[in-house]
Amino acid sequence: MIAKIIVDHPSKMVDKAFDYLIPEELEEKISIGSRVIVPFSSGNVETEGFCIGIKDQSKSQKLKSVIKIANDANAFDETMLETIEWMREHYLSSYLDLIHAVVPSGTAVKSVEWIILEQISEERSPIRQRIIEYLIDNGGGMESTVLQGMFENDIKAQIRDMVKKGTLSKEYRQSQNIGDKKVRAARLAVPADEAKIEAEKLLKKAPVQSRMLSVLADCGFLALSDLKRFSQGTYNAAATLHKKNLIEFFDMTVERNPFAKKSVAKTTNLIPTEEQKRAIDNITASIRNNEFKAYLLHGVTGSGKTEVFMQTIEDTLIIGKTAMVLVPEISLTPQMVSRFMSRFGDRVAVFHSGLSMGERYDQWKRIKDGAADIVIGARSAVFTPLNNIGIIIIDEEHSDTYKSEMSPRYHAKEVALFRAKQYNATVVMASATPSIESNYKAKTGEYGLIKMEHRYNRNQMPEISVVDMRNELSNGNKSMFSRQLYSEIAENIDRGEQTILFLNRRGFSTFVSCRSCGYVAECPNCNISLTYHKYEDSLKCHYCGYTAPNYTRCPQCGSPYIRYFGGGTQRVEEEINRLFPDAKTIRMDVDTTERKQSHEHILEKFEKEKIDILIGTQMVAKGLDFENVTLVGVISADTMLHINDFRSRERTFAMLEQVSGRAGRGTKKGRAVIQTYSPEDDAIALVKEHDYSRFYQGEITERRLMWYPPFAKIICVQFQGVSQTLVPQAAKYFLKQLGGLSLLKQKIQILGPVPAAVSRIKNKYRWQMIIKCQNDDELNDILAAAENACRRNKNYNQISVIIDKNPNMIY
């Protein structure tokens, strides 16, 4: 039998299946998704590979054989392989990038070449004698890279000759960062009754041994650390019991459970409103009919969409199917997980990048083994090995974060729809502000449309005020807070109610400039200004991470007149602390959520300690539900509105409607204050009326006229490299390879190539072109051939060509 293997090698030149003979002893063990070790390249380097097929013939001659199984757990099954194959064709991604997205990080098997001393011989060459001495000093073997590091000159030829002579040998040793966590444990080696009798005998002469044996007699087995703690015993006492053949030691697999210490009170179903009941009935009917169906659940903020999720999932589990819930932000996961665990207990698995690699691996195993039948997570959770899926829920479906900005550049919504079709499952895309594309598909019948137009128990929507900051400035108020917002915050503090302040920009100042010569601090690696972070007193690049100390004199002219322009969340926090010194504040942005579980800790602190004001970026804009939050303040609605992107107004409307909806979710009336310099723009003016319908009508009309999605597909092709000359040349060469597009029977428009808006990031120059078309999949072969032509051209093979379908933002 012959296995088709994808070899774990980063080069796109080997992005294909290689045929390997399956040794007879492995024929029963290798199947789709098997992780194996194979010899690869002319040097027969032992490398991990993934099996994507088995056949009985090959066109290749002199096939190499699979060496061994790398991991007993298959990386994926046939159904997931279908997803991988579809994504490879649709997104033009490599097999390896897609497999790495599917397989838990940290589980890759790494093969390391070792040099082994086989026999000690007298060597005339001083270098060879040193090689032998180093190997003897290190126990007879060393990693080849470590051994090479001991010498200034290359010793590969010397080692190769010594291997031929039999003095040395080479071998590959495999390791992986993450696997099952094992702890040393103890269990009875005799029946429990006999152990209790022995414990009685030991009570006077060896009371510690007696206690340890009694504890084991009661529970059967325990981790040694727990046995020591529960019995007040010692490791020496355990060793003695082992010598007496009363207990035995073994390695026990334990789960790294991120929620082991989390205490959640059990809850039951709420009585649904009429709108909720209608939504539940429609969705569960599709699940029970075992038919693929996609719904857009358009429900205003606070309408009770989460309760709809939980009751439809409960019905899904009753008929023996599984459920997946995707959320756009890790910050939303803690509240969502708490609600689901309170209803479904340990049937819930959680999967997102905020967990450690070990925790993600254990959650992945629970899902694969069927120990959990509900998965909650961010974008990557769409790849978890959940089988027999009945429903996939995409909460806040309009969110940009469902689109991956790194390879593979997939959209979780599209992958979820594909996976749902595989299982005839139901997909529910939920939002208070659906994306223009999703709403269009619902209105044209591609998706079913379910509306929930009222808040739960008919609570009022928040009352929104729009403040024209131009008037504030003309009236002498140069503060970042309008008089109305200041007054509302003060009133909230007096009433003991909580406030959320939103600004979608972190840091203290957006850029730093010299007032004497106009010098602006810029990143040396990117064509972008540095942002000032006051608490660290440093300047940071939010694109590449470059950090420099702040300066008090201009590096160019020496002037002390330095000005900090713009403002971020750090500045908002400082101003609030100055204006309201007695108020308790907490900040939630990328800078404060770097540590593990920091999202959960901040939100818990805000709720339990009755913090007066939560200041944050988009992390605070969606999904959060706190009864005592009655005021939301938007510091600047213009940060998103004037970005050069056709979705900027849609993003602005959605963000403002979403963040305003955090207010008044309990019994108290909510209100929001939106500060702006563009109050007349529909993206802001219509939020005041909560009028999504009118906003949609304006946007869809403009999209139709300008031929933007949903009426056209957009492909962004980006070119990146260190040479300022070769990058545009490669872009133009790529364009010449697209002649075949004229033969396609569809409308196609090509814009560019031109320099990208941010023309340099991480010392790489960037050009791009935009292709607008009716059917992007028809262009796949031509785009792939053009990319391949650039890769094979010796002038441009160092230029990265990135093909991104339906990009979030073109920058």
Side-chain angles (χ1 to χ4, degrees):
M1 301 298 293
I2 295 161
K4 296 168 64 179
I5 303 295
I6 302 298
V7 177
D8 196 344
H9 192 285
S11 173
K12 268 206 165 186
M13 302 296 283
V14 295
D15 180 37
K16 61 181 180 179
F18 290 87
D19 289 350
Y20 283 88
L21 288 170
I22 302 177
E24 191 174 336
E25 66 272 16
L26 297 180
E27 284 187 357
E28 297 296 322
K29 297 180 180 179
I30 293 179
S31 59
I32 299 294
S34 288
R35 304 177 73 160
V36 297
I37 300 297
V38 295
F40 186 66
S41 76
S42 58
N44 288 326
V45 177
E46 291 188 13
T47 308
E48 185 179 23
F50 303 86
C51 178
I52 63 166
I54 294 175
K55 56 186 182 179
D56 52 14
Q57 289 184 333
S58 174
K59 294 180 182 178
S60 302
Q61 302 295 318
K62 297 182 180 179
L63 292 181
K64 299 176 184 179
S65 294
V66 173
I67 296 172
K68 60 183 175 181
I69 301 288
N71 193 313
D72 290 335
N74 281 18
F76 47 82
D77 59 15
E78 293 187 30
T79 307
M80 187 60 77
L81 179 58
E82 287 178 15
T83 304
I84 291 170
E85 296 282 8
W86 171 79
M87 290 179 67
R88 183 171 186 262
E89 181 178 348
H90 180 65
Y91 296 113
L92 301 175
S93 299
S94 70
Y95 271 121
L96 199 58
D97 282 345
L98 294 167
I99 289 171
H100 284 168
V102 168
V103 175
S105 54
T107 60
V109 176
K110 297 178 181 178
S111 291
V112 180
E113 183 183 71
W114 277 65
I115 306 300
I116 308 299
L117 180 63
E118 295 293 345
Q119 58 185 26
I120 300 174
S121 61
E122 289 292 329
E123 297 284 349
R124 294 180 182 177
S125 163
I127 292 177
R128 295 189 182 188
Q129 193 59 45
R130 281 177 62 200
I131 290 173
I132 292 174
E133 288 170 4
Y134 282 137
L135 290 172
I136 292 172
D137 290 343
N138 285 274
M142 292 177 69
E143 287 184 33
S144 59
T145 53
V146 175
L147 181 60
Q148 173 64 69
M150 302 284 193
F151 297 84
E152 292 183 5
N153 298 320
D154 194 330
I155 59 170
K156 288 179 183 175
Q158 306 278 358
I159 289 176
R160 191 163 50 243
D161 191 51
M162 293 173 77
V163 168
K164 282 183 181 178
K165 289 183 176 180
T167 306
L168 306 179
S169 67
K170 290 183 181 181
E171 69 177 44
Y172 287 91
R173 297 181 182 179
Q174 281 80 36
S175 64
Q176 62 185 92
N177 293 332
I178 299 298
D180 290 335
K181 182 179 180 181
K182 305 279 189 180
V183 296
R184 201 66 173 155
R187 61 190 169 204
L188 292 177
V190 296
D193 291 343
E194 186 178 333
K196 288 179 180 179
I197 293 170
E198 290 296 327
E200 284 289 334
K201 293 179 182 177
L202 292 168
L203 189 56
K204 289 185 178 180
K205 291 185 178 180
V208 174
Q209 294 178 34
S210 175
R211 287 197 304 269
M212 296 184 82
L213 198 56
S214 295
V215 169
L216 278 180
D218 289 335
C219 59
F221 65 90
L222 270 177
L224 272 175
S225 57
D226 290 337
L227 177 60
K228 175 176 175 287
R229 185 168 70 254
F230 295 154
S231 64
Q232 297 181 320
T234 65
Y235 291 123
N236 286 337
T240 303
L241 290 172
H242 179 256
K243 286 180 181 177
K244 294 178 179 178
N245 294 321
L246 293 173
I247 67 171
E248 58 188 18
F249 298 138
F250 68 102
D251 289 330
M252 181 171 67
T253 301
V254 295
E255 181 185 341
R256 289 157 286 206
N257 184 354
F259 306 103
K261 297 179 181 178
K262 191 177 183 70
S263 177
V264 181
K266 183 74 176 172
T267 62
T268 56
N269 290 352
L270 300 177
I271 299 173
T273 64
E274 289 183 13
E275 288 185 327
Q276 286 177 317
K277 189 175 187 312
R278 187 167 61 250
I280 293 165
D281 289 345
N282 284 338
I283 296 166
T284 53
S286 293
I287 297 167
R288 288 183 175 274
N289 289 336
N290 198 39
E291 62 174 343
F292 167 71
K293 180 76 175 177
Y295 288 100
L296 175 63
L297 178 59
H298 184 183
V300 299
T301 57
S303 58
K305 294 186 288 292
T306 303
E307 185 65 26
V308 172
F309 301 163
M310 289 195 286
Q311 293 198 26
T312 52
I313 286 175
E314 183 177 51
D315 201 70
T316 303
L317 301 184
I318 288 171
I319 61 174
K321 295 193 172 187
T322 62
M324 180 185 294
V325 182
L326 301 180
V327 295
E329 302 271 357
I330 296 174
S331 60
L332 297 187
T333 311
Q335 280 201 329
M336 187 71 81
V337 169
S338 294
R339 290 183 181 182
F340 273 77
M341 288 181 69
S342 72
R343 196 74 57 90
F344 301 106
D346 60 4
R347 301 180 76 166
V348 177
V350 181
F351 199 86
H352 59 71
S353 59
L355 304 178
S356 69
M357 285 196 294
E359 288 169 342
R360 283 204 302 277
Y361 173 73
D362 285 352
Q363 293 290 301
W364 182 86
K365 272 192 69 181
R366 287 187 66 221
I367 299 162
K368 189 173 188 296
D369 296 341
D373 45 17
I374 303 171
V375 174
I376 300 174
R379 181 178 65 221
S380 60
V382 75
F383 297 118
T384 52
L386 198 63
N387 284 311
N388 196 24
I389 299 171
I391 186 170
I392 300 178
I393 293 168
I394 306 172
D395 194 22
E396 311 291 1
E397 68 84 30
H398 65 278
S399 179
D400 289 342
T401 54
Y402 285 123
K403 174 70 166 64
S404 172
E405 299 292 335
M406 299 182 294
S407 188
R409 290 174 169 78
Y410 66 94
H411 200 298
K413 194 190 306 181
E414 294 174 342
V415 179
L417 287 164
F418 182 85
R419 292 203 69 191
K421 287 177 184 176
Q422 292 176 300
Y423 292 97
N424 287 324
T426 299
V427 178
V428 177
M429 292 163 277
S431 177
T433 54
S435 67
I436 299 298
E437 292 95 322
S438 292
N439 203 48
Y440 178 80
K441 289 179 179 180
K443 286 184 173 294
T444 55
E446 186 174 341
Y447 298 161
L449 178 60
I450 302 172
K451 285 194 171 186
M452 295 168 60
E453 298 177 323
H454 302 94
R455 283 192 152 185
Y456 187 75
N457 286 340
R458 297 279 173 166
N459 289 341
Q460 288 184 329
M461 294 292 289
E463 181 182 321
I464 296 178
S465 303
V466 176
V467 178
D468 188 341
M469 295 300 283
R470 294 172 298 191
N471 295 336
E472 293 289 316
L473 190 61
S474 64
N475 290 328
N477 180 13
K478 296 180 180 180
S479 166
M480 66 195 320
F481 299 105
S482 63
R483 287 164 296 180
Q484 181 179 349
L485 182 54
Y486 174 87
S487 174
E488 297 278 8
I489 294 171
E491 184 181 333
N492 244 35
I493 293 171
D494 289 342
R495 293 198 304 217
E497 295 171 4
Q498 293 173 293
T499 300
I500 292 177
L501 295 180
F502 168 74
L503 178 61
N504 204 24
R505 186 192 297 134
R506 63 191 177 101
F508 186 86
S509 296
T510 47
F511 69 97
V512 182
S513 175
C514 172
R515 286 188 289 171
S516 296
C517 70
Y519 172 82
V520 175
E522 291 191 348
C523 175
N525 309 316
C526 310
N527 184 23
I528 202 79
S529 60
L530 295 171
T531 300
Y532 177 51
H533 288 246
K534 186 168 185 177
Y535 298 137
E536 300 93 342
D537 195 30
S538 63
L539 302 172
K540 291 184 180 181
C541 175
H542 290 175
Y543 283 86
C544 73
Y546 170 83
T547 302
N550 185 34
Y551 53 83
T552 55
R553 288 186 173 273
C554 174
Q556 190 159 287
C557 72
S559 168
Y561 300 110
I562 305 300
R563 179 79 181 271
Y564 299 90
F565 290 88
T569 47
Q570 286 185 2
R571 187 176 176 192
V572 174
E573 185 178 36
E574 183 178 89
E575 281 293 294
I576 284 291
N577 290 335
R578 183 180 67 81
L579 294 171
F580 304 100
D582 296 328
K584 292 188 288 185
T585 64
I586 195 166
R587 181 163 53 90
M588 188 172 185
D589 55 27
V590 170
D591 298 316
T592 62
T593 55
E594 291 177 338
R595 287 188 172 186
K596 184 181 173 185
Q597 294 183 335
S598 51
H599 298 88
E600 186 171 5
H601 294 154
I602 289 172
L603 295 176
E604 277 187 3
K605 191 172 183 180
F606 178 64
E607 181 176 27
K608 292 179 180 178
E609 297 183 19
K610 301 299 180 187
I611 302 293
D612 296 302
I613 302 169
L614 170 64
I615 301 161
T617 56
Q618 65 180 13
M619 294 178 184
V620 304
K622 308 166 197 168
L624 302 183
D625 191 346
F626 298 106
E627 280 195 9
N628 199 40
V629 171
T630 56
L631 174 65
V632 167
V634 178
I635 305 303
S636 174
D638 307 309
T639 54
M640 300 164 287
L641 184 60
H642 300 301
I643 294 171
N644 185 24
D645 186 89
F646 75 94
R647 289 193 178 99
S648 61
R649 296 174 74 253
E650 178 187 356
R651 289 193 184 99
T652 300
F653 180 91
M655 193 68 78
L656 295 179
E657 181 68 18
Q658 291 282 345
V659 73
S660 299
R662 300 314 104 205
R665 296 175 75 91
T667 56
K668 301 171 185 175
K669 187 178 178 181
R671 59 209 193 281
V673 178
I674 297 174
Q675 301 182 157
T676 177
Y677 288 92
S678 308
E680 67 285 343
D681 194 290
D682 278 353
I684 295 171
L686 293 175
V687 168
K688 185 176 180 180
E689 309 301 326
H690 302 287
D691 197 344
Y692 173 86
S693 181
R694 275 180 61 195
F695 176 77
Y696 168 78
Q697 288 301 329
E699 279 293 295
I700 203 70
T701 300
E702 189 173 311
R703 299 274 184 100
R704 186 182 279 109
L705 288 171
M706 301 299 292
W707 202 42
Y708 277 119
F711 304 103
K713 302 283 190 181
I714 289 183
I715 303 169
C716 178
V717 186
Q718 204 170 86
F719 307 88
Q720 298 181 5
V722 295
S723 170
Q724 191 173 5
T725 304
L726 290 179
V727 170
Q729 289 179 7
K732 291 166 186 174
Y733 179 77
F734 184 94
L735 179 61
K736 288 181 181 178
Q737 312 304 311
L738 301 181
L741 294 181
S742 61
L743 302 176
L744 299 178
K745 295 179 180 179
Q746 62 163 297
K747 181 181 176 183
I748 295 175
Q749 183 181 8
I750 300 178
L751 307 173
V754 294
V758 183
S759 59
R760 184 167 58 98
I761 295 178
K762 296 182 181 178
N763 280 323
K764 289 188 176 181
Y765 295 92
R766 305 166 74 245
W767 276 56
Q768 64 189 17
M769 71 172 67
I770 304 300
I771 303 172
K772 296 163 79 173
C773 60
Q774 292 170 307
N775 184 341
D776 54 358
D777 282 340
E778 282 190 4
L779 280 64
N780 288 346
D781 290 343
I782 296 171
L783 292 172
E787 181 192 8
N788 192 45
C790 286
R791 195 186 311 122
R792 293 182 179 280
N793 187 304
K794 64 180 181 180
N795 294 319
Y796 309 130
N797 57 12
Q798 296 302 309
I799 306 299
S800 298
V801 179
I802 299 166
I803 299 171
D804 190 5
K805 291 189 175 184
N806 191 29
N808 265 341
M809 192 177 293
I810 300 162
Y811 64 94

